[in-house]
Amino acid sequence: MASEPADRLAVLIDADNAQPTIVEGLMTEIAKYGTASVKRIYGDWTQPSLKRWKESLLEYSILPMQQFGYTKGKNSTDSAMIIDAMDLLYSGNFDGFCIVSSDSDFTRLASRIRETGLIVYGFGEQKTPDAFVSACDKFIYTEVLRAGEDEPQKIKRKSAGELKQDARLVNLIRNAIDASSDDDGWATLGPVGSNIAKQSPQFDPRNYGYRKLRELIIATKLFELQEKRAADGQSKLILVRDMRRK
């Protein structure tokens, strides 16, 4: 479903726009896409508001980058992140970037990095402006990364009725199946997931309360699935088809 994993990733975190409760889930998620060769977090570490981050920095070897707020009302952290990101980009040592922020100021940065052919993974809250979300190859909402079962923002699993009423979701899945299907309407789940990711960078089954795409598709009760042996005779392929094709 996601883009091809990148080997070396630069992780840049905006401490003013991210919570320390996401750090464990964040690092686990990033490991799916590659190795976090550089991990930096930006903020004014003289401020009490960033105190909760400090324990996480040691545990996950994240390098704090001090940026004083010289002018009231101006966010100098964003500028520092953007300058460092461009320096890292021009070094030629990375295959992709992870930008952790809900701030639309990083929209142009994400676009610029992608123009060079590198992958950009965005991480931010669901309030993140659409422009920044769309500028990334893939965008993960941090609500699904928060630690603890009692988190107030834990994603609630949506029922079949709620999923069916989500026209955007249903059309997204149907279009992806149609683009990958054979003459009988059957499509392999892997290519369906890849097609969905291309259409919608922010798509993630966890946003609906499901761990996997397969679980989400089954929950809608609008599609049928079947398994068959792959050509190698060992692995299995999961096929999916719109029930309207029956």
Side-chain angles (χ1 to χ4, degrees):
M1 182 178 66
S3 304
E4 288 299 317
D7 293 331
R8 290 171 57 86
L9 298 174
V11 180
L12 307 178
I13 305 171
D14 178 1
D16 297 327
N17 272 283
Q19 300 298 319
T21 52
I22 72 167
V23 69
E24 180 179 353
L26 174 68
M27 292 306 161
T28 300
E29 186 74 17
I30 289 173
K32 297 177 183 178
Y33 309 117
T35 301
S37 301
V38 166
K39 293 176 283 185
R40 299 179 183 175
I41 184 167
Y42 298 76
D44 184 352
W45 299 99
T46 65
Q47 297 298 315
S49 58
L50 299 186
K51 183 178 180 181
R52 293 173 58 212
W53 266 108
K54 293 182 180 178
E55 291 181 7
S56 298
L57 304 189
L58 292 172
E59 184 177 356
Y60 293 95
S61 299
I62 304 173
L63 181 64
M65 308 296 288
Q66 173 62 32
Q67 186 61 39
F68 292 103
Y70 296 110
T71 305
K72 188 176 181 180
K74 299 290 185 180
N75 193 342
S76 55
T77 298
D78 293 0
S79 299
M81 273 185 65
I82 291 170
I83 291 170
D84 273 12
M86 297 309 294
D87 286 343
L88 294 169
L89 174 64
Y90 292 140
S91 75
N93 294 328
F94 300 93
D95 303 295
F97 282 73
C98 299
I99 303 174
V100 186
S101 179
S102 303
D103 196 330
S104 63
D105 287 350
F106 297 107
T107 301
R108 182 68 187 103
L109 174 63
S111 298
R112 179 66 184 85
I113 294 172
R114 289 182 69 190
E115 286 172 4
T116 66
L118 272 63
I119 295 173
V120 177
Y121 301 102
F123 297 83
E125 296 179 358
Q126 290 185 331
K127 65 181 182 181
T128 304
D130 291 340
F132 179 34
V133 172
S134 300
C136 300
D137 289 284
K138 182 172 180 59
F139 197 92
I140 297 94
Y141 289 125
T142 54
E143 282 84 353
V144 303
L145 304 178
R146 295 184 186 278
E149 293 297 322
D150 298 326
E151 276 287 342
Q153 298 186 43
K154 188 78 172 177
I155 302 296
K156 181 182 177 182
R157 174 169 287 195
K158 292 191 176 183
S159 66
E162 291 173 316
L163 295 173
K164 287 178 180 179
Q165 292 174 9
D166 190 333
R168 185 177 184 279
L169 170 65
V170 173
N171 289 333
L172 191 65
I173 298 174
R174 280 177 171 160
N175 290 339
I177 292 173
D178 186 60
S180 310
S181 64
D182 59 19
D183 292 340
D184 294 324
W186 288 103
T188 306
L189 188 62
V192 170
S194 297
N195 190 282
I196 290 175
K198 291 176 183 177
Q199 293 183 63
S200 178
Q202 72 271 35
F203 175 82
D204 191 321
R206 293 171 297 182
N207 294 336
Y208 304 90
Y210 296 87
R211 291 179 57 253
K212 303 289 185 181
L213 176 61
R214 179 181 181 177
E215 295 174 2
L216 174 62
I217 289 178
I218 292 173
T220 66
K221 298 184 178 180
L222 294 173
F223 307 93
E224 54 181 326
L225 283 85
Q226 66 174 222
E227 291 186 357
K228 75 172 187 178
R229 290 285 181 184
D232 60 13
Q234 302 296 322
S235 56
K236 290 183 179 180
L237 294 177
I238 301 173
L239 304 179
V240 57
R241 183 172 71 170
D242 191 333
M243 283 186 178
R244 297 180 304 177
R245 291 294 299 270
K246 273 190 173 182

